[in-house]
């Protein structure tokens, strides 16, 4: 188990081809609600990160799961391994989401992972789209997410050397 919370758990997995991925379950009541919750999260991934491998809803052992790209999760140790300025990477990601009218309502380091983009640059990715609004004014979305990010960074002194 990589993590979990109110909305579900995420586990590390491998595809039949040997690709590392993450599988997220949903705690929503009822099959149709679980499918809807996972599909909404899938749709948000595709909207926010079209350049990443597309996630999809799968059934495994009669359970609905969201199969999504595995990202190196944030920790002070992994942040030290990432090339680049953590605050800048997170700000860039917030601005990318805001420009698409997305307001992620749980912007924090615990919902951050890292990958390498097509140019070989380290990149921060916000995940856990359980709480989002869409079609939000980009300036309002950016301001709200940057405020939430600043509060989380201020409460995480262990990242001071990475900022």
């Amino acid at each position: 188990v990589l993590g979990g919370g109110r909305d579900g758990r995420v586990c590390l997995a491998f595809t039949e081809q040997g690709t590392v991925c993450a599988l997220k379950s949903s705690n929503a009541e009822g099959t149709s609600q679980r499918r809807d919750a996972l599909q909404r999260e899938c749709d948000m991934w595709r909207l926010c990160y079209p350049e990443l491998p597309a996630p999809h809803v799968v059934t495994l052992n009669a359970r609905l799961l969201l199969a999504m790209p595995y990202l190196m999760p944030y920790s002070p140790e992994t942040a030290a391994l990432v090339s680049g300025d953590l605050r800048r990477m997170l700000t860039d990601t917030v601005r990318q989401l805001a420009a698409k009218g997305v307001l992620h309502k749980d912007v924090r380091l615990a919902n951050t992972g890292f990958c390498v983009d097509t140019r070989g640059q380290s990149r921060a990715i916000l995940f856990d789209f359980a709480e989002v609004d869409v079609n939000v004014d980009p300036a309002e979305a950016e301001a709200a997410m940057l405020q939430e990010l600043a509060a989380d960074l201020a409460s995480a002194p262990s990242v001071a050397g990475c900022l």
Side-chain angles (χ1 to χ4, degrees):
V1 175
L2 294 172
R6 181 191 72 207
D7 297 306
R9 291 184 354 184
V10 178
C11 297
L12 185 64
F14 296 89
T15 67
E16 291 176 347
Q17 295 78 26
T19 304
V20 178
C21 67
L23 292 176
K24 181 176 183 176
S25 62
S26 171
N27 290 335
E29 294 290 326
T31 302
S32 66
Q33 289 88 347
R34 280 192 292 279
R35 181 179 302 281
D36 290 349
L38 294 171
Q39 188 59 54
R40 176 175 163 81
E41 188 147 355
C42 180
D43 294 343
M44 292 307 305
W45 267 89
R46 290 176 182 195
L47 171 66
C48 295
Y49 309 116
E51 68 284 1
L52 293 180
H56 50 279
V57 177
V58 299
T59 303
L60 182 64
N61 296 329
R63 292 204 57 183
L64 289 171
L65 302 165
L66 177 63
M68 56 191 167
Y70 172 75
L71 303 170
M72 184 172 57
Y74 168 82
S75 72
E77 295 78 22
T78 59
L81 297 174
V82 173
S83 63
D85 173 41
L86 180 61
R87 183 183 301 270
R88 179 195 50 76
M89 286 190 289
L90 289 165
T91 300
D92 289 349
T93 299
V94 161
R95 288 186 172 134
Q96 175 188 351
L97 270 59
K100 295 177 181 195
V102 174
L103 172 58
H104 190 298
K105 294 183 173 185
D106 197 11
V107 176
R108 56 193 177 105
L109 292 170
N111 288 334
T112 303
F114 301 100
C115 66
V116 177
D117 68 18
T118 56
R119 299 166 299 163
Q121 300 295 310
S122 296
R123 181 165 169 208
I125 301 291
L126 283 169
F127 50 80
D128 192 357
F129 288 104
E131 295 182 52
V132 295
D133 286 339
V134 293
N135 300 319
V136 177
D137 175 74
E140 290 177 21
E142 182 177 325
M145 290 188 289
L146 288 176
Q147 181 177 3
E148 198 168 342
L149 175 60
D152 192 53
L153 290 172
S155 68
S158 60
V159 301
C162 303
L163 302 176

